[in-house]
Amino acid sequence: MLLSARDLTKRFGDVTAVCGVSFSLEAGETLALIGASGCGKTTTLKLLNRLIEPDAGEVRLGGEEAHQLPAHEWRRRIGYVIQSAGLFPHMSVAANVAVTPRLLGWEDDRIARRTRRLLELVGLPAQAFGTRRPEALSGGQAQRVGLARALAGEPEIVLMDEPFSALDPLTKDQLIEDVAHLRAELGFAAVMVTHDFSEALRFADRIAVMQAGRVIQAGTARELIARPADAAVEALLEAPRRTAESVSAAFASP
Amino acid sequence: MFAEEWAVFPGHYAGHLTLSFAAILSGLLVSVPLGIRAAGDARLAGPVLGFASVVQTIPGIALLALMVPVMGGRIGFWPAYAALALYSVLPILRNTIVGLQGVDADLREAALGVGMTARQRLMQVDLPLAAPVIVAGLRTASVWVVGAATLSTPVGAESLGNYIFQGLQTRNWGAVLFGCLVSAALALALDQVIRLFELSAARRARRLAIAGIGGLGLILAPLLTQLSGPRAAGPQDRSFVGEVEPLSGRTVTLAAKAFTEQYILADLISRPLEARGARIDVREGLGSAVAFNALISGEIDMSVDYTGTIWATIMKREDVPPRAVMYSETSAWLWENHGILAYAPLGFENAYAYAVTRETAREYGLETVGDLSDKPLTVASDPEFFGRPEWTRTRDIYGLSGLKTRGMDSTFMYEAIASGEVDVITAYTTDGRIDAYDLVLLDEPAGALPPYDAFILVSAEAAKDRALLEALEPLRHAISSDLMRAANGRVDLERQRVREAADWLWLQITGSD
Ligand SMILES: Nc1ncnc2c1ncn2[C@@H]1O[C@H](COP(=O)(O)OP(=O)(O)OP(=O)(O)O)[C@@H](O)[C@H]1O
Ligand SMILES: [Mg+2]
């Protein structure tokens, strides 16, 4: 087992954002966190890399408990991708990608090799994009650089908070494909937060549905569709189901 | 052009630059760390910014003057430096806080997300992103400080303000202009140099950095002229061959308050002292209270003051005794309370008198102050006058409450009365302009205006030096009111230099140069 979260709980004043959440992930496995706005997905993700400290519960990575390390060292082992990409505007694309390896104290040519390779993998060759400033990138390109940055320190796991939701459908589709290739190439595990069931379906081995701070059902997409645990899960599946039906109907009868 | 000004340029410029650089650098060293702490702590940010803003609302000249008592009566570099450093804090502090708080929250979280420590985030993300805003604050601060440094003259720190203050008082507009031009040029140059450094950092352009260094070199270059050789050799270094020099090796610090007569007298008093080998340091343009406090603390060895000033503003007495009584009482009081020696009366009085044009005198039949009562006239004086007992007493005794009053700088009063803008002014009895503008001084039979005998005050420490006191002997009772007025007139009207007027006066006193 690579990552395990046990009984994670976080309160903000009166609001209990996350309440007794537990799950685990094998190496290379992907999990999607899905649920309505405000149900605690982002909070759960930040509890995993200690951007938020839990009120109760624990996180383990490769057998080590999160608090055995200083927070910054813990985070260097975990890739983190956010919706706005969050690239540092005063650094070149290459420097952005190289941030975590530098913090890890890698040798210069190892950093250079790693940076080149990752930019290549996300489809932004270093000689064309390496010296650019983030402001000179499109939204999709920026998100790719964000992905490359998250992967640069050779993490075993990457956390992604709605990484595709600010992109247009075509770019989003392309990026989901690219991440699949990257995973095949680099073999990292991932936890991705999304609102979009079809996105979760394509991306993740397993899906955890959250509601009001709790995981109300977790399993493969097939299991969720076959046996929704309650009305809330069923409601969540309703919209994608209707879309799927009308789309397949449209493709079936020209 | 400006030959006279260039002669004293190295000292004024070096003083100005040293003050400004020291203040800006200190401001930077205090503000940035404080701003960093405050940006992350709302409870600190409020009070800190509040304090800095309050400091900023204090007019520069008042802040500088306030630093003198705050620093226990010290004058010169330190109070000026302290005030200017305080002054430079706000723009840098405010911009540091604003700049840091303006860094995108997502970016700050991403910085932690990629594994930075709080310190790494500060150095690698927060500060670089806030840098343009912080540098803008630094530029504002440097322009303010270089400008405000001209105000350090009245607290006894040499600066380009010496040109301005002396020029204003002696109506030497060339000197005023010169001081303004140089300080403005310095402010702009410094601003541009900082900008060049900022641009070179942002664009990683070495050429810009070299240009910046070049600019800085230009700013500093005039200092080299000062290092090469002793201070501009001038009449100050006059030495009398063959004479004994009982004061050699001693530096005597003289105060000159900010008006013509004081500049002339400081120059005059230097002469017998220099003749005995003393080195003279004139702190010119000092405020009255500043000069007196510096005399108490011994930072000033000598000043010329006036009995009436000491009586009213230092001793806080409101009664008006006869001239001789006031002289002996102030002398005794100074000696008993502060160990200050009232060395000798110079022989003239520089009192307030109500003056009108000959025309006005005729038109309204004015001979005494009492004749002003109930006339539709406007009286002008320096703003502080109307708050003093001199005014309230004459007003009450002679029924002057019907007059309109207007505060204005004494430099402009004479033009104002000549043009008919005002009808009565309070003139100083030794002012050379009384004759030049053909003004009539009104009699004041009740003796409501106090006497103002000029005397040399010597600090407790300096008073122990017999040789010093002996050097002053030729000045005792040496200057009549007419002589002083004529000397003042040479500067104020004939546009002579202070030194020329002092030369003339010295010649009248001693019959030799
Ligand atoms: N720093 C905070 N302080 C107070 N309340 C917070 C904080 N962060 C999150 N919350 C609250 O915790 C709950 C869960 O927030 P969270 O951001 O985890 O939701 P989410 O599932 O990611 O929502 P969305 O899909 O809109 O991003 C919400 O009610 C939110 O208002
Ligand atoms: Mg969220």
Side-chain angles (χ1 to χ4, degrees), chain A residues 242-254:
Chain A
R242 267 205 297 272
T243 313
E245 280 168 6
S246 49
V247 168
S248 51
F251 276 107
S253 55

Side-chain angles (χ1 to χ4, degrees), chain B residues 17-306:
Chain B
L17 212 56
T18 314
L19 262 179
S20 305
F21 273 38
I24 294 166
L25 231 58
S26 315
L28 197 64
L29 289 179
V30 170
S31 304
V32 172
L34 190 60
I36 289 170
R37 287 212 52 190
D41 183 350
R43 280 169 314 170
L44 193 61
V48 159
L49 271 180
F51 174 75
S53 306
V54 167
V55 168
Q56 219 61 52
T57 61
I58 304 174
I61 197 154
L63 186 62
L64 279 148
L66 272 177
M67 278 302 138
V68 174
V70 166
M71 304 194 82
R74 273 190 103 120
I75 61 161
F77 177 83
W78 291 106
Y81 158 78
L84 293 173
L86 263 179
Y87 224 51
S88 74
V89 164
L90 176 74
I92 308 178
L93 180 64
R94 184 185 52 208
N95 282 34
T96 303
I97 294 177
V98 168
L100 287 175
Q101 286 179 341
V103 177
D104 182 23
D106 272 3
L107 280 182
R108 305 194 72 227
E109 192 169 82
L112 294 182
V114 298
M116 289 184 190
T117 61
R119 195 176 166 73
Q120 285 166 335
R121 171 169 71 173
L122 177 68
M123 304 305 291
Q124 298 178 27
V125 177
D126 291 346
L127 284 177
L129 289 177
V133 184
I134 298 174
V135 172
L138 174 65
R139 288 172 61 185
T140 307
S142 60
V143 171
W144 280 5
V145 165
V146 169
T150 56
L151 302 174
S152 38
T153 298
V155 299
E158 192 176 3
S159 78
L160 294 169
N162 287 36
Y163 289 123
I164 299 171
F165 280 85
Q166 192 183 23
L168 277 177
Q169 292 307 322
T170 61
R171 299 168 18 103
N172 178 353
W173 305 124
V176 174
L177 185 67
F178 186 86
C180 292
L181 284 179
V182 176
S183 71
L186 180 59
L188 289 177
L190 198 55
D191 183 48
Q192 287 308 308
V193 164
I194 298 172
R195 188 169 152 265
L196 281 172
F197 281 126
E198 182 196 7
L199 283 178
S200 88
R203 298 190 192 156
R204 279 158 228 249
R206 187 167 304 158
R207 264 199 9 253
L208 291 173
I210 292 169
I213 291 169
L216 198 60
L218 281 180
I219 288 175
L220 296 175
L223 296 183
L224 296 176
T225 58
Q226 201 200 18
L227 293 179
S228 64
R231 263 185 75 146
Q236 289 194 341
D237 296 328
R238 207 189 286 113
S239 53
F240 288 65
V241 185
E243 249 181 86
V244 264
E245 301 202 332
L247 293 176
S248 65
R250 195 185 195 305
T251 298
V252 180
T253 308
L254 300 179
K257 298 196 227 178
F259 52 95
T260 305
E261 180 170 299
Q262 288 272 326
Y263 290 115
I264 295 175
L265 290 173
D267 197 297
L268 190 77
I269 294 171
S270 320
R271 290 159 198 247
L273 297 172
E274 277 175 344
R276 285 166 177 74
R279 212 190 79 78
I280 303 296
D281 182 8
V282 178
R283 302 297 179 87
E284 53 180 46
L286 294 186
S288 199
V290 170
F292 188 75
N293 286 327
L295 196 65
I296 294 176
S297 69
E299 276 191 84
I300 294 273
D301 293 314
M302 235 177 261
S303 68
V304 171
D305 222 312
Y306 306 89

Side-chain angles (χ1 to χ4, degrees), chain A residues 119-133:
Chain A
L119 283 174
E120 202 74 49
L121 282 173
V122 298
L124 301 170
Q127 61 269 39
F129 291 89
T131 57
R132 279 202 203 178
R133 289 294 165 120

